[in-house]
Structures are given as C-alpha cells and as structure tokens.
Amino acid sequence: MKASAFSYERATSVGNALELLAAHGDRAKVLSGGQSLMPAMNLRLISPELIVDIGELTELRGIAVKGGLLTIGALTRHVELQRSPDIAAHAPLLVEAIAHVAHPAIRNRGTIGGSLAHADPASELPACMVALDATIVIRGSNGERRIPAADFFKGIYETDLSAQELLVAVELPVMRTNGAHFFCEFARRHGDYAIAGLAAQAIAAGGVFSDLRMAYFAVGDRPVLARAASRLVGVAVTPAVLSEASAGLAEELDPQEDQQASASMRRHLAKVLMARCVAALLGRPDLNAGRPG
Amino acid sequence: MTAPIAISLDVNGERFDAHVPPRLNLADFLRDQLQLTGTHVGCEHGVCGACTVRLNGEIVRSCLMLAVQAHGASVQTIEGLSDSGEVTDLQAAFRDRNALQCGYCTPGMLMAAQDLLKQQPAPNREQIREHLSGNYCRCTGYQAIVDAVETTARIRRGSRS
C-alpha cells in the first residue's frame, strides 16, 4: 500500500524541529532514516498529518569519544556504526548487533535514534542500549534531559519520549578493562526480526563475573534486563549455579505468543541463549554442553 | 500543505526538476514520473528488495524513501547501471546460469550483488547469501543467483590480474 497523504516540513535546525513538534504534537511524526516509519505508514498502521524530516540536521550526526564517554548522534546510520573504529574499540557489542539489523540497503538509511524512538521490542539496538547501560539524551523546548536506557523503553513502540521531544543522542560508557560482550539471536531469515535474542555486556576476570548485564529482546514488550544474571556474578559458575539462574530467568520472563513462536518456545530459547552467553563469556564450553534447565 | 513540493535531483546522470506530493515514494516517482520502470515495487514495506536503487552510491530501498527526501541526491537505477555497462557481465552470468525466471526480483538482485562485488571482490557463498538476504526471489531457489554472483566475482578477479 501507499502512505496516506500528509504535509511535509524539512526541519532546518533542532530548534526548528522542536517548534514544529510543539505546534503539532502527536499529529506529527519525526522522520529520520524512515526504515521503521515508512513501512508503518505504507501499511497505514499510522497516518500522521505532518512529517517533520530531521534528515538534514548534521548536528545530530556523528560519533565522539571524550572522557570515558562515547556519544552517538541520533542521526548516525547503522552502516556508520558498523564501520566506525570508535564503536569497534569502545562498544564492540554494537558492531556485532548491527550485522543482524535487517539488510545492507536498510542499514544504509536506518539511524540509531530512529530505531530507539521506534522501540520495537524485537529490535536489536534497544536491547544493546540497555546492556551497555546507555543514557538517552532528549531535547525539548525546556532544554535537555537524560534518562537511563532501562527506564526509556515503556512498552511496544512506547518510550519515555513525549510528542514534543526529540531524541538527540545516546551516551555510552566506554568498555572497561576485562570487558566482554555477547550477542546472539534466533530469526527465521538472516536480518529478520528476532524470535528471541540476547545482548550482553560483562566484566569477567579469573573465570568470575564482577558484572553481567543481559538484555533480552523479542521476549517481552520491551528490552528485558535479566535480574537472574545477578546469580552468576561474584561466584564460581558451576552447572548447578547456571541451572538455578536459568530457572530464575524462565520465571521472570513473560514472553508474548505470536505466529513465530509460543511463549514457552521463547522462554526455552532465552535459556539456551543464557547458557551460550555464559559459556562464551567465560570461555567454558562445558557450561553449554548439556540441555539448559 | 499536502501540496506538491519542488525537488531537484540527479537520476542516472541526468538532472530532473519536479513537483511531487509529500507522500510519493521514490520508487513510484522513478516509475511513474520518470518512466524508469526497471525499479520494481513488490511489498512496499522494505522486505522484498525489488525496489533497490543506489542513492549517493549506496543501495537503499526506494519504497522506504519519500521522493522529497531525495532532493539534492544522486540516484542510480538499474537502467543507469545497465546502460553504462557496469553490470553487463553480471547480467550475462545471470542469463547463463538461469538465475532468473520471471525476472521481477532481478533489478534489485543485480543492484545488491553489484554493491557486494564493489565492496568485496572475493566473497564466499555465505557472504553472497548474506548480502542478498534482503532480496526475495520466488522462482530460482537462490542457488543459481549465488552461482552467478560467484562466477562474476571470479571472472572479474581473473581479468584484473
């Protein structure tokens, strides 16, 4: 199908975009790369009256590292994340995750800000932001505010952003000493939305985690930071410890059922991912040898 | 407000000035206003890849872009790649290997395959499959397409050395 008719404004600055959003509120939609918005409009899932195109706002583009903080502008495209030496050095989890985001032609247009603001619970980048403990930088007419990624995602396509605000950047702590990451997802076809996926960031030394953030996607209405991961921190991970954490994970998850998978299949896949993740991060293939849980 | 907006863009090396309604996507603009019907429209939500074109040298989905967003850009369609001879060998390999039947996906396939070969002169079959993973073909089962891309890569490498 084709999108229904709308008016179009090409924002000339962040200030100008905010003025347009203040005037039109939720009758307007922000267009950045359009790789989530355009399908939704073509399918007539949404029919905004006004499109505010922020694609020309070069001030929202780019990647910078300063004082232990990696800042990524909202308009930075997936392909730029994938090729950036700064991302490879300081947030390698993202490089791995991006390879699973759709296909090359989509990654050439799609932006990190667009993906996060869209907040599809099955998409990779929101979970990565939660795993990396990112801060989402939001600008409104009253100035800027910062919110932890774990509090930003509220539900399916729902975030803390109001209709008058713009997501302008994300800030990530650079990877610490002994930092390690893991990314894996199950999908029907490479690049499709995940059936279940896991993005994890850890600090491990001597076979013991001192920090482990496991952010699941496609198993809830938003990225889920597994509380059960705490059972794996500060202890020698044995099959019994892992099995207990795995049982805890299955209990805390409340996955949806759809045409791709049942809730119990998603729960099972989440446990498989946990075992793979822990085995990979600790270099302990024995922990992934048996069936989980 | 939903009135046509003036755009100016370069398509296959030729400058075009037009007035387009905001809702018009780039694929429909190319097909209906410029009569460049080699760009195909399949799913209209970015899944099938039939509408793949080059925008400023990079492949994109023309169904997931508004024509107004292409203002000031340089677009290349399959007609451009074909006429310039850039993909002549790839087209021949598709023909030789029967890598198309109905041909609906072929312009998008050629766009994506040529994009890969520009970035990676010696891709293995897995890399070819991954790069073409966003392009659906309902006739061939893909095997012949992968063969054709692999053969073209090999011949291009051979002719350079």
Side-chain angles (χ1 to χ4, degrees), chain A residues 32 34 40 73 102 179 190 225 228 251 264 285:
Chain A
S32 56
H190 183 92
L225 188 63
E251 208 159 292
S264 67

Side-chain angles (χ1 to χ4, degrees), chain B residues 79-160:
Chain B
E79 289 88 348
L81 261 65
S82 187
D83 290 353
S84 72
E86 184 181 336
V87 292
T88 304
D89 54 350
L90 192 59
Q91 288 167 311
F94 267 60
R95 241 181 351 254
D96 293 345
R97 190 60 191 82
N98 273 335
L100 68 157
Q101 185 179 323
C102 83
Y104 203 84
C105 71
T106 311
M109 282 290 177
L110 292 169
M111 277 282 170
Q114 176 64 6
D115 184 61
L116 171 67
L117 294 177
K118 272 170 59 194
Q119 294 174 34
Q120 164 68 275
N124 61 36
R125 292 182 75 84
E126 194 48 44
Q127 289 167 322
I128 295 170
R129 283 186 180 280
E130 194 169 315
H131 207 83
L132 300 181
S133 66
N135 294 68
Y136 274 148
C137 171
R138 302 286 78 161
C139 301
T140 65
Y142 302 100
Q143 203 70 16
I145 294 175
V146 177
D147 290 347
V149 176
E150 198 179 28
T151 303
T152 306
R154 193 166 51 237
I155 293 173
R156 285 188 189 176
R157 288 200 305 279
S159 65
R160 262 206 304 273

Side-chain angles (χ1 to χ4, degrees), chain A residues 1-3 5-8 10 31-32 35 38-39 42 44 53 77 103-106 108-109 189-190, chain B residues 1-2 5 22-23 28 44 46-47 55 58-61 63-66 68-69 71 130-131 133-134 136:
Chain A
M1 287 203 304
K2 321 283 183 192
F6 51 81
S7 306
Y8 173 88
R10 193 176 287 129
L31 174 65
S32 56
Q35 302 303 288
M38 286 289 296
N42 287 353
R44 305 259 175 133
D53 184 358
R77 297 176 300 147
H103 313 286
I106 306 265
N108 284 337
R109 293 285 300 164
R189 171 180 73 146
H190 183 92
Chain B
M1 289 277 275
T2 56
I5 291 176
R23 66 184 282 231
D28 288 339
E44 299 193 308
V47 175
L55 179 85
E58 297 174 314
I59 55 168
V60 302
R61 299 275 202 253
C63 78
L64 294 190
M65 233 189 118
L66 301 171
V68 289
Q69 287 179 285
H71 174 63
E130 194 169 315
H131 207 83
S133 66
Y136 274 148

